[in-house]
Amino acid sequence: MAERTIVEYPHPALRRRCAEVTSFDATLATLLDDMRETMDKANGIGLAANQVAVPLRAFTMVIPGASEDDPGEFVELVNPVIVGKRGEVRNEEGCLSFPELYEAVLRAAEVDVQYDDRNGVAHRRTFAQIAAVCVQHEIDHLDGVTFVDRLSPLKRRLALRAFQRAQLARQVEAAEDRRAAVRGRA
Ligand code: CO
């Protein structure tokens, strides 16, 4: 397994509608293994393939456990399609492609999903609560939609402005760290 680079907004990979997976081969298995490692290292609970710049319809996710010491259940969904939705829930969401940005988004409280596993075998499963929110957030990614797109125009503008300001500050800080490292070597 290998960790991959997570792309941040406004990377164009986040805007692309991903293609159906048709080859359930070793390349797909490696991608899913790498996504799991990348998601775990970033302390995320969901990661879509286009967040590592691979435009395929697949995501990895952790269904949170019942208690603090329950690590939860790891799942991977290929070609996921929501076939049923019930209820509403408003939840504070974050995204590995928008570090440090959290916004409340309205989603269905429960979703029925059809999907394939890594071997191309079809499944159907119902997800609720945080897992349902996560599934909707990740399937949005596969359609080129981010959680910021689910905000009102005003909230979206404010959120993106705050995010880009913080992102710029992080980039300046990283550049200063690199310069300091170069001086250290001289
Ligand atoms: Co996300």
Side-chain angles (χ1 to χ4, degrees), residues 3 8 15 18 24-25 29 41 48 51 53 57 59-60 63 66 82-83 100 116 118 121 125 128 134 139 150 156 165:
E3 196 179 350
E8 287 187 16
R15 276 284 168 232
C18 298
F24 296 86
D25 54 8
K41 290 227 168 97
Q51 289 184 279
R57 301 189 77 79
F59 70 84
T60 55
I63 301 173
I82 294 176
V83 293
E100 291 164 43
D116 296 323
R118 63 167 65 197
V121 178
R125 185 167 173 178
C134 193
I139 292 179
R150 296 288 181 193
R156 183 184 316 136
R165 199 175 295 150

Side-chain angles (χ1 to χ4, degrees), residues 46-48 51 94-98 137-138 141 146-147:
L47 183 71
Q51 289 184 279
C95 180
L96 293 174
S97 295
F98 290 83
H137 177 117
E138 302 311 328
H141 271 306
T146 67
F147 76 130

Side-chain angles (χ1 to χ4, degrees), residues 115-138:
Y115 63 96
D116 296 323
D117 62 25
R118 63 167 65 197
N119 301 310
V121 178
H123 298 265
R124 188 191 170 110
R125 185 167 173 178
T126 298
F127 297 90
Q129 307 299 329
I130 296 293
V133 169
C134 193
V135 163
Q136 292 166 87
H137 177 117
E138 302 311 328

Side-chain angles (χ1 to χ4, degrees), residues 73-145:
E73 179 195 355
F74 172 80
V75 289
E76 50 189 33
L77 281 73
V78 178
N79 299 331
V81 178
I82 294 176
V83 293
K85 284 185 178 195
R86 287 168 298 281
E88 279 187 343
V89 65
R90 188 178 290 277
N91 201 72
E92 190 96 327
E93 293 183 27
C95 180
L96 293 174
S97 295
F98 290 83
E100 291 164 43
L101 182 68
Y102 299 90
E103 294 288 340
V105 180
L106 188 67
R107 304 274 192 188
E110 213 173 274
V111 290
D112 306 317
V113 185
Q114 271 174 10
Y115 63 96
D116 296 323
D117 62 25
R118 63 167 65 197
N119 301 310
V121 178
H123 298 265
R124 188 191 170 110
R125 185 167 173 178
T126 298
F127 297 90
Q129 307 299 329
I130 296 293
V133 169
C134 193
V135 163
Q136 292 166 87
H137 177 117
E138 302 311 328
I139 292 179
D140 269 357
H141 271 306
L142 303 181
D143 292 329
V145 174

